[in-house]
Amino acid sequence: MAIGILALQGAFAEHETMLDRLGAAWFEIRQKRDLEKPLDGLILPGGESTVMGKLLRDLDLFETLQEKIRAGLPVYGTCAGLILLADQVEGGIPCFATMDLTAKRNAYGRQLGSFHTVAQMEGVGEIPMTFIRAPYIAAVGPKAQVLAEVDGHIVAARQGNQLVTAFHPELDEDTSVHQYFLDMTK
Ligand code: GLN
């Protein structure tokens, strides 16, 4: 079993550390031939969704990954990764557009750009949540399920094989969200 971590830009190394701590095998996806390896799950990290979206197309990774996600590949998007999966993006352009939800980019504005809290996530429990110039989910369609809310805003959701969090569990000690994702790959 191996998880591919999109490693074009952003906070991918922190996801690698998390998977190491959980004893899960992973490899980096940097170019098209990386997609020839067996892939049991995919992590889309935080970073800049606009830059990642452009690189995905420039490196010819976009279509293959979109097909795999549509075919049921388990995928976990954090922060910018959430934006890449949303089928509607306020303040940005949809990328994979495989999830029935509206992401609002840079949703917390400048003042609250980055913050930390503890809140409940369904199926996971009470966990630390670190937000960095985060989006939130402005709306979910009928196919997606809300897993967590903070201050009345949706910050985690699932749609079958797809999981997204507006926050960055890879920046905290708690491994339970990554364990939840690994369970989705079994
Ligand atoms: N604001 C970034 C974007 O729109 C996301 C920030 C993050 O991933 N920490 O892509």
Side-chain angles (χ1 to χ4, degrees), residues 45-50 52 78-81 83 105-106 132-135 168:
E48 268 308 313
S49 53
T50 46
M52 272 193 264
T78 53
C79 201
I83 297 167
R105 272 189 82 203
N106 301 319
I132 301 171
R133 293 189 308 105
H168 292 265

Side-chain angles (χ1 to χ4, degrees), residues 145-166:
Q145 178 199 356
V146 174
L147 297 183
E149 288 185 49
V150 169
D151 297 332
H153 298 304
I154 304 165
V155 296
R158 177 165 177 183
Q159 180 178 328
N161 58 312
Q162 304 179 73
L163 173 70
V164 287
T165 62

Side-chain angles (χ1 to χ4, degrees), residues 8-162:
L8 303 180
Q9 190 266 338
F12 54 87
E14 291 82 351
H15 285 286
E16 297 170 0
T17 305
M18 272 287 173
L19 295 188
D20 281 343
R21 288 177 58 199
L22 292 169
W26 54 266
F27 61 92
E28 292 183 349
I29 298 173
R30 290 177 178 271
Q31 50 192 326
K32 192 144 192 195
R33 68 161 189 263
D34 296 327
L35 297 179
E36 290 161 15
K37 299 176 198 164
L39 188 59
D40 301 295
L42 170 68
I43 290 180
L44 305 173
E48 268 308 313
S49 53
T50 46
V51 177
M52 272 193 264
K54 183 174 185 309
L55 289 171
L56 279 165
R57 288 184 186 277
D58 290 352
L59 296 164
D60 196 22
L61 296 168
F62 173 78
E63 276 175 19
T64 309
L65 285 176
Q66 188 185 47
E67 262 168 40
K68 286 178 186 282
I69 296 167
R70 283 192 181 141
L73 176 71
V75 56
Y76 174 28
T78 53
C79 201
L82 179 160
I83 297 167
L84 296 179
L85 291 170
D87 70 357
Q88 292 184 62
V89 180
E90 285 180 28
I93 311 160
C95 183
F96 292 121
T98 47
M99 259 187 116
D100 193 13
L101 50 86
T102 303
K104 184 172 162 67
R105 272 189 82 203
N106 301 319
Y108 293 94
R110 273 202 169 178
Q111 287 292 311
L112 254 180
S114 301
F115 64 99
H116 185 85
T117 190
V118 173
Q120 195 73 27
M121 178 167 162
E122 199 177 318
V124 176
E126 198 171 75
I127 49 163
M129 298 182 180
T130 298
F131 294 80
I132 301 171
R133 293 189 308 105
Y136 60 63
I137 299 167
V140 295
K143 290 184 211 146
Q145 178 199 356
V146 174
L147 297 183
E149 288 185 49
V150 169
D151 297 332
H153 298 304
I154 304 165
V155 296
R158 177 165 177 183
Q159 180 178 328
N161 58 312
Q162 304 179 73

